Amino acid sequence: MAVLTGAGVSAESGVPTFRGKDGLWKHYRPEDLATPDAFSRDPRLVWQWYNWRRGLIARANPNRGHYALADLERTAPEFTLITQNVDDLHEQAGSKNVIKLHGDIWQVRCLSCGRDWIDTRPSIAELPPRCGCGGLLRPGVVWFGEELQPGIWDRAEYAARRAQVFLVIGTSAVVYPAAGLVRMAKCSGAKVVEINLAETVITSQIDAFLAGPCGELLPKLIA
Ligand code: OAD
């Protein structure tokens, strides 16, 4: 069994999604905040935005959907949770085999020496932060126009191709290559089940669609 989650799975924890009525990309332009160019133009501005998101995520707790997925992992013989989310709410809920396609908001990486580590301060005071070597630190997330880490993508693709059941939860499924995992799973013979508040671009191509908040539907489905 494999699962692909998106921002919708953390929405009931108070973490905003990207698209839709109150989505982050309705209020901010991704090209100003989430691209390598934006970071080289104004690293301080990009870091201010990540500090704000760090604060939001630090205050958030896993919801019933996150916990249901951790329960499911304990019962399924083979289980991979692939997430596009950079928060750590799946891990906090107890999920173990988690692939973080778009990185981790708590990770920082030095642009000079390449070292990376976890810094869980909800807000980093000195902006932009610097490494001991003097290099500029960047958030350890994947921005638009950047490739996913090859090892991470290989693991996600393997899980999608191997799955007998593939759940797609709380994602608009418009960002590639992540969204391509759905088709990969389907073409490799998985039954694909989507849970979302509303139909998405993939709904017509899959086996079953469950409409509603995943914090309510996942515990019922798994029970
Ligand atoms: P989106 O904001 O594009 O989509 C969130 C989806 O969750 C929408 O389809 C909503 O209908 C659904 N949703 C919201 N609340 C829900 C709930 N309580 N239960 C079930 N569904 C719910 O977020 P993603 O698909 O995760 O990438 O976005 C993909 C990527 O685009 C993100 O990882 C990020 C963004 O730009 C990068 O930053 C690289």
Side-chain angles (χ1 to χ4, degrees):
M1 180 175 282
V3 183
L4 174 67
T5 66
V9 85
S10 295
E12 288 159 78
S13 296
V15 181
T17 61
F18 292 93
R19 297 168 186 82
K21 198 162 52 71
D22 286 321
L24 291 175
W25 297 149
K26 281 278 179 302
H27 304 286
Y28 304 96
R29 284 158 33 104
E31 51 272 44
D32 292 338
L33 298 166
T35 67
D37 277 354
F39 190 69
S40 36
R41 263 196 317 271
D42 196 343
R44 195 180 150 79
L45 175 76
V46 170
W47 266 111
Q48 281 169 337
W49 191 63
Y50 277 91
N51 258 351
W52 173 71
R53 290 182 60 203
R54 279 173 163 251
L56 275 175
I57 290 171
R59 288 192 296 277
N61 293 308
N63 63 54
R64 284 162 30 105
H66 295 108
Y67 285 113
L69 288 171
D71 286 345
L72 189 57
E73 180 170 8
R74 284 188 277 273
T75 58
E78 210 179 306
F79 184 94
T80 309
L81 202 168
I82 306 160
T83 186
Q84 298 164 87
N85 299 344
V86 296
D87 65 48
D88 57 354
L89 297 178
H90 284 304
E91 292 94 327
Q92 280 190 42
S95 287
K96 300 280 182 241
N97 192 19
V98 182
I99 299 177
K100 299 183 83 127
L101 282 182
H102 293 164
D104 184 334
I105 197 160
W106 302 118
Q107 192 187 65
V108 294
R109 186 164 77 244
C110 176
L111 289 181
S112 298
C113 70
R115 208 160 66 84
D116 62 55
W117 65 92
I118 297 292
D119 178 340
T120 55
R121 282 177 288 171
S123 178
I124 294 179
E126 62 293 352
L127 291 187
R130 296 212 165 255
C131 177
C133 80
L136 196 57
L137 293 178
R138 62 160 283 175
V141 299
V142 176
W143 283 325
F144 287 100
E146 291 187 311
E147 308 242 314
L148 304 189
Q149 278 188 30
I152 291 204
W153 176 251
D154 292 348
R155 282 173 59 208
E157 189 177 335
Y158 175 80
R161 290 198 189 282
R162 213 174 135 69
Q164 293 173 337
V165 178
F166 193 80
L167 303 180
V168 189
I169 308 171
T171 176
S172 56
V174 294
V175 173
Y176 280 78
L181 292 168
V182 179
R183 198 174 165 71
M184 252 176 220
K186 181 82 188 130
C187 291
S188 307
K191 292 280 180 216
V192 179
V193 179
E194 182 182 32
I195 301 182
N196 202 303
L197 295 180
E199 291 191 8
T200 68
V201 291
I202 59 157
T203 309
S204 61
Q205 304 158 30
I206 52 140
D207 297 287
F209 174 72
L210 304 174
C214 51
E216 278 178 31
L217 293 183
L218 269 171
K220 285 189 195 159
L221 178 70
I222 285 155

